[in-house]
Amino acid sequence: MHRIVLTAITAGTLLALPAAGLAKGPAMPSEAEQQEAVSRVAALGLPIYQAGGQGKYVALTFDDGPGPYTAKVMNELKKYGFRATFFVNGKNFGRWRDTLRREGREANVGDHTWSHHYLPKLPATQQISEISRSVTASSNITGNRVQLFRPPYGSSTRSVNAWLKSRSMLNVLWSTDSRDSLGANRNEILRLSKAGTKPGAIILLHENRGQTYWAVNRLLPWLKKKGYTAVTVPELLALNPPDLATVKKRAGVGVGFR
Ligand SMILES: [Zn+2]
């Protein structure tokens, strides 16, 4: 008798699941679809600034961690069912190893070099070792493949872009700078992030600053109210695939490609 009741509950729950899923919003692309969406753009060997403009999806990206605000930001994202991308530095992994593991489970972890040097000033071999050392350490800790890269100060080189292309890794820049690393106060960070919100936007934030955390706390409910969903960069590229001709055109005139 007990068993029959349990079976009935299970069957009811299973039947109710698809409806509940739809009510929360559209299904996210599968892992394979996301990887394919990144590889499609990475094959160009050029940086990307934004995705296509099809749906109300944006990518919040947080650089320079992991650090003291990472877990707080992830807790806030979770409340809204949002996800983000974290571009991490290998030099922080020793102290924030568990935090990086959690980022690997709940977000997308991209690379931001080991020690955050300005890459164009380094010899080509060192530019690559700065990335590969950090990528290897990060994937050993999270167990995930690292498919995204963001150069410190948005400045990469031809050697870096060629190396990324050979590994099917994508150089991800941004369409909106919150200017949190340039001294913007918390209200400015919030105002610029809101102003830059549009379908396919990639917003630059930093995860090691209290003023950014303050702004993010206000940005997330605003995004929700406006009907936006914050997703990871691979999810964004799969949901809002960019036109490759536009990516080429923008990279030809954009900054961050020397
Ligand atoms: Zn940085």
Side-chain angles (χ1 to χ4, degrees):
M1 179 60 193
H2 211 70
R3 211 162 154 191
I4 292 163
V5 170
L6 278 176
T7 309
I9 290 167
T10 308
T13 310
L14 284 173
L15 284 172
L17 270 176
L22 284 175
K24 280 183 184 170
M28 283 295 131
S30 70
E31 192 62 38
E33 286 167 336
Q34 292 177 42
Q35 289 197 10
E36 201 182 303
V38 175
S39 299
R40 175 179 169 266
V41 189
L44 298 176
L46 297 170
I48 192 167
Y49 296 83
Q50 63 189 59
Q54 296 90 336
K56 291 183 103 173
Y57 298 100
V58 292
L60 306 180
T61 62
F62 295 89
D63 293 6
D64 298 359
Y69 290 97
T70 313
K72 289 170 182 282
V73 165
M74 281 191 289
N75 291 344
E76 288 307 311
L77 288 163
K78 219 174 186 176
K79 282 187 198 166
Y80 298 91
F82 290 168
R83 281 173 301 285
T85 304
F86 294 89
F87 289 98
V88 296
N89 294 114
K91 65 177 180 182
N92 302 327
F93 296 171
R95 186 163 171 211
W96 302 99
R97 199 182 174 86
D98 289 342
T99 307
L100 179 65
R101 270 206 195 97
R102 183 175 164 196
E103 285 177 304
R105 289 192 302 270
E106 297 180 18
N108 186 278
V109 178
D111 188 62
H112 196 46
T113 73
W114 186 270
S115 40
H116 208 279
H117 287 309
Y118 177 70
L119 293 174
K121 286 273 183 215
L122 299 178
T125 48
Q126 214 181 321
Q127 294 169 13
I128 306 306
S129 65
E130 267 288 314
I131 307 168
S132 61
R133 183 184 175 198
S134 191
V135 164
T136 305
S138 163
S139 48
N140 284 343
I141 294 168
T142 63
N144 299 341
R145 173 182 171 194
V146 178
Q147 224 187 346
L148 306 180
F149 173 71
R150 173 171 288 158
Y153 314 104
S155 297
S156 60
T157 65
R158 290 193 184 277
S159 333
V160 166
N161 281 295
W163 184 85
L164 294 173
K165 185 183 177 185
S166 74
R167 301 182 54 119
S168 199
M169 281 178 67
L170 179 62
N171 181 349
V172 181
L173 296 176
W174 54 86
S175 55
T176 294
D177 184 351
S178 70
R179 299 182 68 83
D180 61 346
S181 67
L182 300 170
N185 66 36
R186 57 194 203 173
N187 287 305
E188 279 178 84
I189 297 168
L190 179 60
R191 185 182 59 77
L192 290 168
S193 302
K194 283 180 178 177
T197 295
K198 60 179 180 183
I202 299 176
I203 300 174
L204 171 67
L205 297 150
H206 292 77
E207 57 175 296
N208 52 358
R209 289 169 165 78
Q211 62 270 40
T212 303
Y213 177 61
W214 182 94
V216 166
N217 268 295
R218 282 141 190 92
L219 179 64
L220 301 185
W222 181 85
L223 287 172
K224 192 95 184 171
K225 204 176 82 190
K226 295 284 174 186
Y228 277 90
T229 304
V231 297
T232 67
V233 170
E235 285 168 343
L236 184 71
L237 293 173
L239 291 160
N240 288 14
D243 168 47
L244 296 185
T246 309
V247 174
K248 280 188 199 167
K249 203 173 153 192
R250 176 74 205 269
V253 295
V255 293
F257 185 53
R258 294 178 177 85

